Amino acid sequence: MRDFDRRRVAAAASLLLVTGGLALIPPASAQASAARRQTVVSGNARFQVLSPTLIRTEYSPGGRFTDQDTFNVIGRADFAPARFTKRVSQGWLTIDTGAATLRYRVGSGPFTADNLTVRLKAGRQTVTAAPWAGLGAPDCAPGALCEAEALALHGLGTATDHRGYTGQGFAAGFEGTGNALTFAVTPAAAGAQELTVRYANSTGGDGQNVARTLTVTVDGVAAGTLSLPPTGNWDTWALASVPLELSAGRHEVSLVRTAGDSGNVNVDSLAVLAPGAGYPAPTPPSPQPCAFGAVCEADTGAPAGGARLADDHNGYSGEGFLAGLERTGAGVALTVTGVPAAGDYQVQLRYANGQAGSQPVQTRTMSVTANDAAPVTATLPPTSGWDYWRTASVVVPLRSGTNTVTLGCPTDQSCNVNVDTVAVAAKGAPLLAPHAPLGGYRRGLDGVNGGARTNGGLLYQDGWSLLDDSASALYRPATGAVTQRPAAGQDGYVFAYGQDYRRGLRELSTLTGPTKLLPRWAYGVWYSEYYDRTAAEFESIASRFKSEGVPLDVMVVDTDFKAPDKWNGWAIDPTRFPDWNAFAKRLRAQGVRTGLNIHPSILGSDPKFAQAQEIAKGKLQRTGCNGGPDCFVFDFGDPDQLKAYFWLHEAMGAKNLDFWWLDWCCDAARSTLAGVTPDAWINQKYADETGFAFSRAYGSLQAGGYSNPGAVPTGPWADKRSTLHFTGDAISNWETLRFEVGYTPGESAATGLAAISHDIGGHTFGLQEPGSEPGSTKLPDDLYARWVQMGTFQPIDRLHSNHSDRLPWQYGAAANASAKKFLNLRKKLLPYTYAAAAAATRTGTPIVRAMYLAYPGEQEAYATAGSQYLYGPDLLVAPVTTPGATASTTVWFPPGSTWTDYFTGKRYAGGTTASVITTLDTMPVFVRSGAARP
């Protein structure tokens, strides 16, 4: 482990900027002197220049700043001192690092969109960012309807899976204690008000259809209870109100599920009203002008012909994108202001062009009409799916001043694209990037069937992001001690990497700790199947691997080994494993490591329950779970319960075990430790036990559900230090395979976590046929072979399923031969893979690299990010994701190199695109010129 306790050396006195000007102060200690040298204080605001492209922005209402590490941020002391200038002029503090210029209005209070900006370059584009815009509590004007999904959501997700909502969806869940939505309201005068909520309440996950409650707080103080009677069903909405007494001025109001509330409701909208006032109707957004030279959201124009705002894909900027461009007459009109002079200008369109229904993927066209001029045709080639975007431009004539630019669909076949942003710029201007996330993450892919919404992380296309650490608890890495911050405030790190995305990842690694380097064997071949087997059967499979000439490095035993209950028993069943330690030792002698599945609960009837409850000091709670109603779960944030939990592991007596697999999927275990993401906390504890955690990441069951579609306030930043991310139970079909191709590099780009492990072959459902064993299924041969091929070029190659065949010899001759070939290739690539993993830990650049990490100036790098990636520095991989024994795969070959087919030796020039034909015995893999063939 890195020495996270390294501290700064002594240095000369530093400059402290106060509201009235500059003053010399001595350093408080040698330990703090380097930090003081990089620090600028302005009243209750503090700025620390960690590097030319990384600035900490901190606001404390009482001027009490945080110097201790937090659970997320443990590496502030590991940055070399950076040069910068600072000055105050006309009431503004300016800090200039050469790469970024930060401006803060002195004495203006907490950071907002109006008082703090950062200016940077992203390629040729100059970007002015407001990092703190949209954070905190959004304003909800008295008397106005406010959509719940647009408020600050904590542990809630935006959903659209029921009917009758207004806006873009509704706030779903209130399933866990602490789930809340928050907004700000500013009454002009003191007086009585009513908070009215539009909600739905039907049969919840607990099986009950009863009146529910939520607590209303004002400025953090409980102000009433909102009672929510049942509605007809989840598609039926009703109104409920609670009186509030508000003074004049700004207040933060929250709807919270406290420990005493029942929650389990959906909230569509709300309003703060005068007593007795009617509930307002939603107000459709009015079209907004688009300034010349700015990136404008396409959905803010005047839509026509069925064009509409949507947000059901990833990678867009703003609130969504313009969809519904599916028929003649569909389009949008934008009012463009500030055109400097009459002449020809670029209209830039950022769009996605994936498969539209059953139509083949194809180049589409769109008309672009300026005022009354003849339409110009924009040609829009395909992107690698609806989550991936390209910017194209056309030239149109414009008048000086204000113009109308209309995007249209001349025919039903022409458009069929989504448009995210529009920019009007000079003919020679660069293509302008919006603040759109690159990649994304979620807790898991459980139940994912061909696609899923993700959360944006570190990287954005216009070159900046804010890591908001305000909610993170204080932490001492040397001892593992967690304490809470003494006061609320703002604490965030502005990254200004521009188009140097790899620098952003490197600085994230320094700031929050590097991605975990796993043992070398973990990058080999894994076998894992949810199927009830004995030790003898597992050893027979290991022997079969050897006799078939297939490498095997890791064998994972799923839940059926447990006793007395197969789900959550805490003993190893002697009828299946008479001597676990001898079994594991024999496999270890053959070079095979072992892991055991754990579900974090215990039955009250378990023989070890009484002692576990005693260690937990009686605090284990009966909740019911997959093991039945007499099921108790753990609060990992409580030291006594955590001690009892790991005592149960130890009491199993699995001495020769290499790791535990925390399958935290279906039980109600949780962590109430404030300021630490629950997954990150328990994963760190597993890493302390066995070196790394094999688990889900980034959230908790209580923060958005099984696969956690919603982000949590403390963010995903600590998990990479401890975790091999098990992505969960995805559906076995071609669509999910296609989604995973872009998901792995996208998750690594968003979070910096390099070790990501999918179920190779998917987990369950989808395309299943009768299998080779009782009660088992199998995949179609071509799908199995292609998924194994992709797994060869993933961070972890883990064959896993739910009672579905994953062994090569369980398939037909062609698929069998293909799988054996690629599993052996995985073994051959182990030195290369491990070197890439070590580089990820050292530099922050992940094993599986999105194309834009290496080619940020190429539009094709963004457009193809869902279909191809770099595996380590020198292998270009484009997995086959279409059925059939023969496939044609479109591959973009980046400029600056020649690319040689790994299997055939055929060469492709950089800067070109080609269709590559493969049968089941090969796949599109290419070696960069100048690199050795690994």
Side-chain angles (χ1 to χ4, degrees), residues 351-365:
Y351 73 93
N353 176 8
Q355 185 166 14
S358 60
Q359 300 176 34
V361 176
Q362 58 190 285
T363 295
R364 304 286 186 172
T365 59

Side-chain angles (χ1 to χ4, degrees), residues 565-651:
D565 186 85
K566 288 178 180 291
W567 181 261
N568 57 4
W570 287 93
I572 296 174
D573 187 347
T575 68
R576 288 166 175 78
F577 293 88
D579 187 339
W580 166 268
N581 291 318
F583 162 79
K585 188 175 181 180
R586 288 192 296 272
L587 287 182
R588 179 80 66 85
Q590 302 173 52
V592 180
R593 305 292 179 136
T594 54
L596 287 173
N597 172 287
I598 290 296
H599 293 118
S601 59
I602 184 170
L603 295 181
S605 58
D606 192 289
K608 294 189 175 72
F609 173 75
Q611 190 167 352
Q613 183 69 294
E614 182 180 355
I615 295 170
K617 298 181 180 178
K619 289 180 282 189
L620 301 184
Q621 294 184 354
R622 180 189 283 114
T623 62
C625 66
N626 273 26
D630 187 32
C631 179
F632 290 73
V633 296
F634 301 83
D635 178 354
F636 300 136
D638 177 77
D640 298 318
Q641 296 184 60
L642 186 67
K643 183 178 180 181
Y645 181 66
F646 278 107
W647 172 81
L648 287 167
H649 291 64
E650 184 180 355

Side-chain angles (χ1 to χ4, degrees), residues 494-511:
V494 179
F495 287 79
Y497 39 74
Q499 285 194 336
D500 192 349
Y501 304 132
R502 292 174 64 174
R503 176 172 185 154
L505 287 167
R506 182 173 69 249
E507 294 190 335
L508 178 72
S509 179
T510 301
L511 183 68

Side-chain angles (χ1 to χ4, degrees), residues 18-107:
V18 295
T19 304
L22 293 170
L24 284 171
I25 64 165
S29 66
Q31 185 180 26
S33 61
R36 293 293 184 97
R37 233 182 15 249
Q38 304 303 116
T39 298
V40 179
V41 176
S42 177
N44 291 330
R46 184 171 76 161
F47 306 93
Q48 290 179 297
V49 180
L50 300 179
S51 85
T53 56
L54 180 58
I55 303 174
R56 184 186 189 187
T57 58
E58 189 180 8
Y59 186 86
S60 172
R64 296 178 61 189
F65 302 116
T66 298
D67 291 315
Q68 187 178 327
D69 292 331
T70 69
F71 197 77
N72 281 325
V73 173
I74 60 175
R76 285 192 300 264
D78 296 330
F79 289 88
R83 293 180 178 274
F84 64 94
T85 62
K86 50 189 177 290
R87 62 186 174 87
V88 173
S89 176
Q90 298 181 336
W92 286 85
L93 162 67
T94 300
I95 299 173
D96 189 348
T97 71
T101 303
L102 180 146
R103 298 182 76 237
Y104 172 67
R105 192 167 67 240
V106 174

Side-chain angles (χ1 to χ4, degrees), residues 144-437:
L145 179 144
C146 298
E147 297 290 350
E149 69 275 10
L151 305 179
L153 304 181
H154 302 284
L156 301 172
T158 297
T160 57
D161 55 341
H162 298 298
R163 296 189 298 272
Y165 61 83
T166 59
Q168 294 178 255
F170 52 88
F174 288 97
E175 297 173 355
T177 299
N179 291 175
L181 62 80
T182 302
F183 64 94
V185 63
T186 307
Q193 306 280 342
E194 277 188 350
L195 172 63
T196 301
V197 174
R198 187 173 192 259
Y199 73 96
N201 173 16
S202 188
T203 303
D206 57 5
Q208 300 186 62
N209 187 7
V210 297
R212 308 284 188 170
T213 63
L214 294 172
T215 295
V216 179
T217 67
V218 176
D219 299 326
V221 178
T225 298
L226 188 66
S227 181
L228 305 164
T231 57
N233 52 49
W234 287 114
D235 298 323
T236 303
W237 302 86
L239 299 177
S241 299
V242 62
L244 296 178
E245 191 72 29
L246 299 177
S247 60
R250 187 178 187 273
H251 300 278
E252 290 198 2
V253 180
S254 296
L255 282 179
V256 187
R257 179 177 177 176
T258 69
D261 290 311
S262 48
N264 285 281
V265 294
N266 296 330
V267 175
D268 179 39
S269 60
L270 54 80
V272 176
L273 305 171
Y279 196 68
T283 303
S286 57
Q288 300 296 312
C290 177
F292 177 80
V295 178
C296 304
E297 300 295 331
D299 51 84
T300 61
R308 66 188 187 281
L309 173 68
D311 64 353
D312 55 340
H313 297 297
N314 298 308
Y316 60 82
S317 69
E319 299 299 319
F321 51 85
L322 191 71
L325 302 171
E326 299 165 355
R327 60 189 62 86
T328 302
V332 64
L334 297 111
T335 300
V336 180
T337 61
V339 176
D344 289 343
Y345 293 90
Q346 288 185 76
V347 175
Q348 303 176 4
L349 309 176
R350 186 176 192 258
Y351 73 93
N353 176 8
Q355 185 166 14
S358 60
Q359 300 176 34
V361 176
Q362 58 190 285
T363 295
R364 304 286 186 172
T365 59
M366 174 174 280
S367 64
V368 181
T369 306
N371 303 313
D372 53 0
V376 176
T377 297
T379 301
L380 308 174
T383 60
S384 54
W386 294 110
D387 294 332
Y388 303 95
W389 305 80
R390 177 194 282 112
T391 300
S393 69
V394 294
V395 175
V396 298
L398 295 177
R399 299 189 291 256
S400 174
T402 299
N403 293 253
T404 299
V405 174
T406 303
L407 313 182
C409 300
T411 69
D412 289 353
Q413 291 295 313
S414 58
C415 286
N416 288 275
V417 296
N418 295 329
V419 180
D420 181 31
T421 61
V422 178
V424 178
K427 285 179 66 175
L431 295 179
L432 302 179
H435 191 59

